[in-house]
Amino acid sequence: MTALLPMLWVWLSGAAMALQLQLRAEPTELQTGQTGSVRLLLVSTDRDPMSLSLRRPPALPAQKGLIPSYIGQSSQFQNVNGRVTRILQLDYRVAAVEPGEWSLGPVEIELPDGSHAVADPIRVKVVARSDETTSEPFTVSATFDHDRVWEGQTVVFATRFESRLAGAQVRWSLPNFDGLRSPQHGVPADERFAVDDPDGTITVRRTYVPLVAVATGTRDQGVAIAEVSIPQGGTDLFGFQRSRIEREVSDRLELTVDPLPPPPPSFSGLVGDFEINSRLDASDKVAVGQSVPWSVVITGDGVIEGLDLPTFEADGASIYDNGSDLSARMDGDAFRSTAAFRRVVVPTREGALQLPPFELTWFSPARGDYVTKEITLPELTVVPGREGDGTVQSFGADASPEASDPVAIDLRPVYTWGRATAPSLRFVLPPLLGLAAAPGALVLAGLGVALARRRAEAQQARRGRHRRGRPAEAAVRPEAGSSPSTWRCGGWKAPLQALPEEDRAPLASAPPRRAAPAASRRGGRRRLPRWPRSRARSAKIVRDVRQAGRKA
């Protein structure tokens, strides 16, 4: 559904019907026992698109080889040619029960104004079910719709992916398309649908890329590569599913482009098969000076780019251009383009007005030759227009001659209402802004105070740890060139002999330390290497030294 709706393009001119109906079958060929999809599209281009509504879905007539059933409906709004367009889609499922080519439709619905709209019937082919079921889990294909085209002709490159694996996805790497270009109007189409089969559901994805042949000769277009992602196992803890990538390569693609034969002088540059419809919105009689709308709609399977209608002149009338609309779309597997030209015919004298015929020449690939289409316009009877007496008429209330005098000045009261007289907000707006910003400012201030407090507590804790955790070995400060018997401990002038015997022997046997320059610095404070003893042993030494110093 998401791929079908963007392809639908309302290409009729402003004189077209306000409601269009269309039936579409996907696919158009089924095997007995399979079930496909059928969509009924209702496109409303009224000024009030919400007026389109159906109380009950219409019945879908079908021949005996098909059994339709209604599923549901959905709607979508689009902006087409500057107008809001509503697309109402009714979904049906069609089961194939008997081989043959069967018809679906037509479908007729009644509009709110009492009129009726009809959708043309479509054909669905049903073939006998094959006994040989393919063993491959998926199939891919890529090809052009024509192997040989003319210069300027539109060619469609189509890819197809069918899979019986649930969750399988495909991503295509297309060739460079040498000698081909994309049209200015019309985007590639992407269709996805499912076919219910007794052996399992078949998922189908088809893409169509419109291209225009601009270079002649036989050109090798290379190959198209399909990367198929096949799910493996269940999902992981985060909901992702592993997949395996398999690559398939299409056959070699070649395209031959033939040059156009010498064109006639009236050749418009169009290549394709086109139809021209002309409409003059006027009755049998028109008045002099009356504007008569004239529309010319050109539709076909080729691109309509840069087309200008030839100059049109008529004796007894003036003709003016009123704009044009150009659009293109993919209609299934076919490219369709439309150009709507609007003109206005203004009769300049009374009597019979015969407009000359209109001609357009294009090249038809189906015929292989140039085709000229001539359109004749009906004859108009021009009657005299309405003549006035030259007086100015006023349809307003209480009209007076003074009001119609262009020189008179109408003095009116001073304008005392509106924005210019509103009171100023310069004294009210700042307090309101401050009041609105107060909660945020308080929150930021609280966060700043809490951060400052945390930093102060952390700094205080570091200072306490430094005081409490000062190594006991650093309390003993030997001087260079002194003997162990004269070393001082912990700032107390106590000799080493005050230590117990078991602690004095290792200190006396230790070599003297170097002078202060050899000591390491950290954080601006001089530190000496720690002695190789435990923290408890060092604390006991310092405690004994300090007690001995107090006794001394």
Side-chain angles (χ1 to χ4, degrees), residues 14-208:
M17 294 184 301
L19 181 68
Q20 301 175 67
L21 270 70
Q22 184 183 17
L23 276 174
R24 293 185 59 89
E26 295 177 346
T28 57
E29 181 176 336
L30 295 171
Q31 295 182 5
T32 54
Q34 292 183 345
T35 303
S37 301
V38 175
R39 296 179 174 90
L40 176 62
L41 302 176
L42 297 87
V43 183
S44 174
T45 57
D46 286 329
R47 294 183 178 180
D48 183 13
M50 296 300 295
S51 60
L52 177 59
S53 61
L54 295 177
R55 295 183 178 179
R56 61 179 62 182
L60 180 59
Q63 295 181 342
K64 63 177 183 178
L66 301 173
I67 301 178
S69 59
Y70 175 75
I71 297 179
Q73 65 180 11
S74 60
S75 61
Q76 180 179 355
F77 290 89
Q78 294 182 353
N79 190 349
V80 181
N81 293 336
R83 294 178 298 177
V84 177
T85 302
R86 181 186 179 187
I87 302 175
L88 181 63
Q89 176 175 300
L90 305 179
D91 296 327
Y92 297 84
R93 299 292 287 176
V94 177
V97 296
E98 185 177 340
E101 189 171 356
W102 312 105
S103 176
L104 283 172
V107 178
E108 182 178 0
I109 63 173
E110 183 178 358
L111 303 181
D113 58 358
S115 60
H116 293 77
V118 180
D120 297 332
I122 58 175
R123 307 286 292 181
V124 176
K125 185 178 181 180
V126 180
V127 298
R129 185 171 183 81
S130 176
D131 296 335
E132 298 179 359
T133 304
T134 178
S135 60
E136 298 184 3
F138 64 88
T139 58
V140 295
S141 63
T143 182
F144 290 102
D145 60 345
H146 295 87
D147 297 333
R148 195 178 193 94
V149 296
W150 295 92
E151 182 182 4
Q153 183 179 351
T154 303
V155 60
V156 178
F157 180 76
T159 63
R160 184 180 179 90
F161 170 72
E162 293 186 5
S163 173
R164 294 180 180 269
L165 301 175
Q169 301 292 334
V170 64
R171 185 172 65 90
W172 286 94
S173 298
L174 303 182
N176 295 327
F177 297 125
D178 185 21
L180 303 173
R181 69 170 179 86
S182 300
Q184 296 181 3
H185 302 273
V187 296
D190 190 352
E191 297 181 355
R192 306 185 186 189
F193 56 91
V195 178
D196 294 337
D197 189 81
D199 296 334
T201 302
I202 303 175
T203 303
V204 182
R205 180 179 180 182
R206 299 183 300 194
T207 58
Y208 301 99

Side-chain angles (χ1 to χ4, degrees), residues 152-156 180-188 208-214 301-305 326-330 335-337:
Q153 183 179 351
T154 303
V155 60
V156 178
L180 303 173
R181 69 170 179 86
S182 300
Q184 296 181 3
H185 302 273
V187 296
Y208 301 99
V209 181
L211 301 167
V212 181
V214 295
D301 58 0
V303 294
I304 307 177
E305 299 173 357
L326 179 62
S327 62
R329 60 187 174 92
M330 287 298 304
F335 180 79
R336 293 288 181 267
S337 60

Side-chain angles (χ1 to χ4, degrees), residues 365-386:
R367 299 183 180 182
D369 198 1
Y370 293 92
V371 176
T372 300
K373 181 67 176 295
E374 180 181 277
I375 295 180
T376 59
L377 299 176
E379 181 178 343
L380 298 177
T381 301
V382 183
V383 298
R386 178 185 176 185

